[in-house]
Amino acid sequence: MDLKHISEIERATHRGRGEVLRLGIGLLFIVGVMFYAAMRGGGGDGSLILVMAAMIGGYMAMNIGANDVANNVGPAVGSKAMSLAGALVIAAVFEAAGALIAGGEVVGTIRSGIIDPELITDSDTFVWIMLAALLAGALWLNIATAVGAPVSTTHSIVGAVLGAGIAAEGMDIVAWSTMGNIVVSWVVSPVLGGVFAAAFLYLVKRSITYQTDMAAAARRTVPMLVGLMAWTFGTYLILKGLNRVWSVGFGEAVVYGLMIAVPIFLLTKRSMNGRGMQLANTKQSVNRLFTVPLISAAALLSFAHGSNDVSNAVGPLAAIVDVITSDGVMHKSAPIPTWVMMVGALGIALGLALFGPKLIRTVGSEITELDQMRAYCIAMAATLTVIVASQFGLPVSSTHIAVGGVLGVGFLREYLKSNYDRMLAEIKAHHPEGDLAAIEAFVARFEKASIEEKGEMLRDLKQRSKKAEDPAHFSKVERKGLRKVYRRELVKRSQLMRIAAAWVITVPASALMAAMLFFMIRGMMLP
């Protein structure tokens, strides 16, 4: 065996040790949760069920951290606005803070009204449904993370509650209107996210990168874009991140968001004007202006996500704790004890740190190439879509919005690249055959021109070509060849198909798993 093979074995062994270490830390967390729950249980059958529920709740929280949080920081990491290590620290801290500070004291034990608890025959069946749903949702998230597919954690737990409920009491227990809304969100979320992200990117390109003097355009436009981002994020944070500790209406949230945005706009404008000629007339220089806003966006998105989605991890656990502590009485809603909320917060942060990098890379760099301007557009789309959809009562998924935003940016880039290639083909078709110097000179002027000047140059070129009665003397076949533009695919179709397939099967897959787990748990628990 030569040295090359030995070094390859050592590298494989090193990667294996890393996997074992991560699994070991995760198991230690789950064991710690089990021991703590056992100390609070006080013995008896209820204590055993509480330990099982706490263990599964911690496992679910870790999987939410591993899969769902990537949407908040993935674009910022992919654009190199922040390092992977920095993103993990920021997301973990703000996810935990959001869960503990603004996670709320009360959450519905039956997520989103998926099933009717009044039709459940007894408290034991209710507990078995919640156990099966929690475990099935966690297992599905684990599978999705392993294959690198970002999926909705809300849809995972909704499908699991649906499947376990049907297994327990039949089809009549399901609120089918709510399930219809879930299906609608499969389309609404990514489409709205993609449209908003593409629209913002086109606005940024028209106002900055398509201008002859990008530095001057950036000084005019970037303060407004940063102010708009502060306004949107301020409104989003008040509506979605702090809604359980500070409840205000939409109009008030918009006003408070504007009050936050105005000083940020003025500070950014003052800072931009103070740069003077230090800002180079390059796209890279303009990109760097979005670094700090993107880091702030990642932190705020993580805080809002932690305050909202912690209920996916601990909502069913809180329901089980409520049934056990209230001697079998099932309530419509259950107060979440502090220790249960802590399990969710720490589990999300730990899952992100241990297993989150894979999905962060998928969202940030494996769908399409991102820079800071594109990541800014995705962050704006994520917040604006949630705000708009919530006002119209449209069901949306934060995961689907973020991935839809990445796809929207990628497909817009494809369209613009193809359109530019078509324009270059027109330039070549309207120049004399063999006049390579004239073509190169025209293309050089064309690339430096603003988008309005490009249009004028093309129109003028066509007019001159018509007057010269086709100076190139190309045949029909040759002209067709010139106009045939190679479509550059800037969105990886393999990733797109894998993610779309995972989205479609999330609810039925988690439902089927939960139904099977319910029958297994009931079989073990019945005398």
Side-chain angles (χ1 to χ4, degrees), residues 122-206:
D122 59 82
S123 60
D124 286 340
T125 301
F126 177 80
V127 170
W128 299 339
I129 289 173
M130 291 295 103
L131 278 175
L134 200 55
L135 182 55
L139 286 171
W140 174 247
L141 284 176
N142 200 332
I143 293 169
T145 302
V147 301
V151 297
S152 170
T153 56
T154 301
H155 289 183
S156 300
I157 196 67
V158 162
V161 171
L162 170 73
I166 292 174
E169 301 294 342
M171 303 291 284
D172 292 338
I173 199 173
V174 180
W176 291 109
S177 60
T178 304
M179 288 308 303
N181 289 338
I182 295 295
V183 174
V184 170
S185 74
W186 292 344
V187 178
V188 171
S189 299
V191 168
L192 280 181
V195 168
F196 280 131
F200 274 110
L201 181 59
Y202 190 68
L203 172 66
V204 170
K205 285 181 173 293
R206 285 294 298 260

Side-chain angles (χ1 to χ4, degrees), residues 45 169 198 310 342 391 414 485 525:
D45 294 338
E169 301 294 342
V310 68
M342 186 69 75
Q391 296 313 303
E414 277 191 6
V485 179
M525 292 297 185

Side-chain angles (χ1 to χ4, degrees), residues 377-431:
C377 298
I378 294 166
M380 286 293 296
T383 54
L384 193 60
T385 302
V386 172
I387 292 171
V388 171
S390 64
Q391 296 313 303
F392 285 96
L394 298 173
V396 292
S397 161
S398 59
T399 300
H400 295 186
I401 292 169
V403 176
V406 175
L407 293 172
V409 164
F411 284 127
L412 178 66
R413 291 178 61 222
E414 277 191 6
Y415 169 77
L416 294 175
K417 291 286 187 184
S418 297
N419 194 47
Y420 187 74
D421 287 342
R422 280 192 292 271
M423 289 190 289
L424 291 181
E426 284 189 28
I427 292 170
K428 293 177 182 178
H430 289 87
H431 272 87

Side-chain angles (χ1 to χ4, degrees), residues 59 129 131-144 156 159-164 167 505-521:
Y59 175 53
I129 289 173
L131 278 175
L134 200 55
L135 182 55
L139 286 171
W140 174 247
L141 284 176
N142 200 332
I143 293 169
S156 300
V161 171
L162 170 73
I505 66 173
T506 288
V507 170
S510 59
L512 181 60
M513 292 170 64
M516 292 189 294
L517 287 168
F518 172 80
F519 287 125
M520 184 181 71
I521 292 171

